[in-house]
Amino acid sequence: MSQLDSGAVAKSRVAIIGGGVCGLACAVSLQQAGFEVQVFEATTAYGQVGAGIGLGPNAVRALEAMGILEPLLQRLPQGNHFVKGFLFYCGLRDHQLVYDYPAAPELPNVNMQRAAFLEALSSQLLDLHSINFGKRCMSVTESSTNSGALNIYFTDGTTHIADVVLGADGIKSTIRNFIVNSGASMGGAAVQRSRRAVFSNTVYYRGMVPYSALLAAGFKTPMSDRPACFVGPNKHIVFIAIKPRDLVMVSASSTNYNVPLGTESLPEESTWVDDVPRDELQKDFDGWGPDVSILLGLMPEKVSRWSLRVVHPPLENYTRGRVALLGDAAHGMLPHLGAGAGQGLEDALLLVRLLKRPETNRDNLPAVLQTYSDVRRPRAQAVWEVSDRAGRVYDFHGPHGSTPEGLREDLEDICAPIWHYDLDRDLESAIEMLRANGSFAH
């Protein structure tokens, strides 16, 4: 019997609700370790939802530690794995360079289309029989007849039984309601299903622009493989050329800073993501510099508009019994540093490492998941807060103001606590806690 199989938990049935970035990465790694894993994804197929994804050095290290970085890169288009920093330009007038955020050679990033990432994981690294599309989770209950088992109910009338449920079902998480309500009924109103997900007062317009069209239109701001950002009052625009440099991903952010977070609700009938005319986006950035006008003028006639939600206030716990949250379901944050996916992968890494431990068994599994929560919550919330602060700096609401000098002071090393985090320390801390409370033997 291998070390991975020596713990009884290795025979457990693991259900992962949500087949996004962190859910699939967790599934692949657990499956490779010998676990019986089923992934339930609400969509019927992977498409362009989310458009692009950027993974910082911490996220790249997490993928590497899970043993799926190299196989993943072999299945992705060439040129997506390289050293980058971040370029900040003024969005007004002459677009002067405000700050060049450096990246050291030992800090690689990965940028790609989200669909390519998910397709590579799901179709080539995961057992095809392990992913179930068109399965929207409606509720989870603890079995009254089978001790330790969990019943999962889907909107299509089907059910599934598992020993462990991992909720990677994003900001609209149904599983989060099970955690927050401590087992109260989860069926019913959408407000319950999205509990703790509040409107961030920020909308994001997303789309792709042909690289050649930008050049032909006279776009003068230097374009490279590095992410860049136009900063300005209450708004900013992030853009990056995707290899082989035929498309440019664009995300334009607009925030209302006049109301406190969580106090403004969108109409009940409003959708989280909708398509709006391009001229609505252009009006939002009226008066900005010439390259901004060119960039936004080349966006599709219908632009995807995201009314961003975040988890607020922070959850007191990511787990309950044999159910745990990871990724946006646990700590959905603003995307201003591109750190959300990385936090989900850090969550997945610690979960996989703990579940694989030979000391982990069916009896101590709730304590193991609770320790995962205790370790991850402070880290994820710290990243949530620095992501929020970054957006304020980009939008001229930083502590040192909107002058080039003030912006440089606020931007310097803003990514350092995210990129340089010690992932191994998470596991060490968890093991120390589990030994201290008697769940693991010394």
Side-chain angles (χ1 to χ4, degrees):
M1 182 178 290
S2 72
Q3 187 184 57
L4 292 178
D5 291 332
S6 62
V9 74
K11 303 298 183 183
S12 297
R13 299 161 294 183
V14 180
I16 298 179
I17 310 301
V21 172
C22 63
L24 277 187
C26 188
V28 169
S29 190
L30 285 174
Q31 193 171 81
Q32 291 178 348
F35 286 77
E36 180 184 329
V37 181
Q38 289 292 316
V39 178
F40 298 93
E41 167 58 29
T43 61
T44 56
Y46 290 127
Q48 293 299 320
V49 176
I53 179 174
L55 302 177
N58 58 308
V60 173
R61 293 199 308 275
L63 287 172
E64 186 174 29
M66 284 189 279
I68 57 180
L69 176 62
E70 288 306 319
L72 177 64
L73 291 177
Q74 291 172 10
R75 291 164 171 81
L76 290 171
Q78 293 297 311
N80 287 306
H81 186 213
F82 38 77
V83 176
K84 293 189 300 293
F86 216 97
L87 297 168
F88 294 92
Y89 298 98
C90 181
L92 311 175
R93 298 179 297 277
D94 58 355
H95 304 306
Q96 65 173 307
L97 179 65
V98 174
Y99 186 63
D100 183 341
Y101 196 105
E106 69 274 12
L107 298 177
N109 293 246
V110 172
N111 281 273
M112 71 208 77
Q113 289 183 298
R114 185 176 184 271
F117 182 94
L118 297 179
E119 181 65 24
L121 282 178
S122 63
S123 67
Q124 301 186 50
L125 295 179
L126 188 69
D127 183 337
L128 290 179
H129 296 98
S130 298
I131 187 162
N132 307 271
F133 286 103
K135 293 291 184 178
R136 186 174 298 278
C137 178
M138 182 173 64
S139 63
V140 173
T141 62
E142 294 172 331
S143 175
S144 59
T145 58
N146 187 352
S147 178
L150 295 153
N151 298 320
I152 309 168
Y153 300 89
F154 300 95
T155 55
D156 64 1
T158 60
T159 61
H160 183 77
I161 299 174
D163 302 303
V164 182
V165 173
L166 303 180
D169 48 342
I171 193 65
K172 295 183 181 181
S173 175
T174 297
I175 305 303
R176 182 171 60 241
N177 198 67
F178 179 86
I179 305 295
V180 171
N181 287 341
S182 298
S185 175
M186 292 170 52
V191 67
Q192 278 202 332
R193 292 199 300 271
S194 60
R195 189 173 178 185
R196 294 285 184 98
V198 301
F199 180 48
S200 65
N201 305 323
T202 296
V203 295
Y204 246 53
Y205 303 92
R206 288 174 167 155
M208 297 280 193
V209 170
Y211 179 82
S212 58
L214 266 182
L215 298 183
F219 189 85
K220 294 182 172 57
T221 301
M223 289 284 292
S224 69
D225 298 324
R226 300 174 66 188
C229 181
F230 286 126
V231 298
N234 302 320
K235 303 174 181 68
H236 62 271
I237 303 171
V238 176
F239 57 101
I240 179 173
I242 299 296
K243 288 286 187 80
R245 198 178 283 190
D246 54 348
L247 290 173
V248 177
M249 291 194 304
V250 180
S251 297
S253 170
S254 178
T255 300
N256 179 4
Y257 287 96
N258 295 321
V259 294
L261 178 62
T263 61
E264 182 173 328
S265 298
L266 297 176
E268 284 293 328
E269 66 274 11
S270 66
T271 59
W272 294 42
V273 182
D274 59 355
D275 292 332
V276 298
R278 179 177 55 207
D279 60 3
E280 179 175 322
L281 166 61
Q282 292 172 300
K283 288 176 182 176
D284 212 351
F285 285 81
D286 186 42
W288 282 49
D291 277 1
V292 170
S293 296
I294 292 172
L295 182 65
L296 300 186
L298 290 171
M299 290 280 274
E301 290 186 7
K302 290 288 187 179
V303 179
S304 177
R305 180 181 64 183
W306 298 60
S307 297
L308 300 184
R309 269 74 164 181
V310 294
V311 173
H312 178 80
L315 302 184
E316 294 84 4
N317 209 327
Y318 293 170
T319 66
R320 178 174 180 266
R322 298 167 183 264
V323 180
L325 298 172
L326 65 159
D328 284 349
H331 42 67
M333 61 189 67
L334 288 165
H336 302 318
L337 288 175
Q343 286 311 288
L345 291 172
E346 288 185 17
D347 293 341
L349 175 61
L350 182 59
L351 276 169
V352 169
R353 283 176 158 177
L354 288 174
L355 291 174
K356 283 167 38 174
R357 295 287 300 183
E359 304 97 322
T360 300
N361 55 57
R362 294 178 188 272
D363 293 334
N364 66 16
L365 182 57
V368 168
L369 294 179
Q370 181 60 57
T371 301
Y372 151 78
S373 174
D374 293 341
V375 171
R376 288 298 306 159
R377 280 190 305 112
R379 160 64 172 170
Q381 186 57 28
V383 176
W384 191 104
E385 291 168 3
V386 75
S387 296
D388 177 69
R389 185 168 71 250
R392 293 176 181 275
V393 172
Y394 304 165
D395 295 352
F396 291 179
H397 287 268
H400 294 96
S402 60
T403 66
E405 296 77 19
L407 289 168
R408 282 192 287 270
E409 187 166 356
D410 288 336
L411 290 169
E412 187 175 7
D413 291 332
I414 197 169
C415 294
I418 301 175
W419 289 356
H420 295 281
Y421 187 70
D422 185 352
L423 300 177
D424 293 333
R425 183 58 190 158
D426 270 4
L427 180 61
E428 294 166 3
S429 296
I431 292 174
E432 290 171 5
M433 292 179 183
L434 288 164
R435 287 175 176 167
N437 66 27
S439 298
F440 281 5
H442 285 276

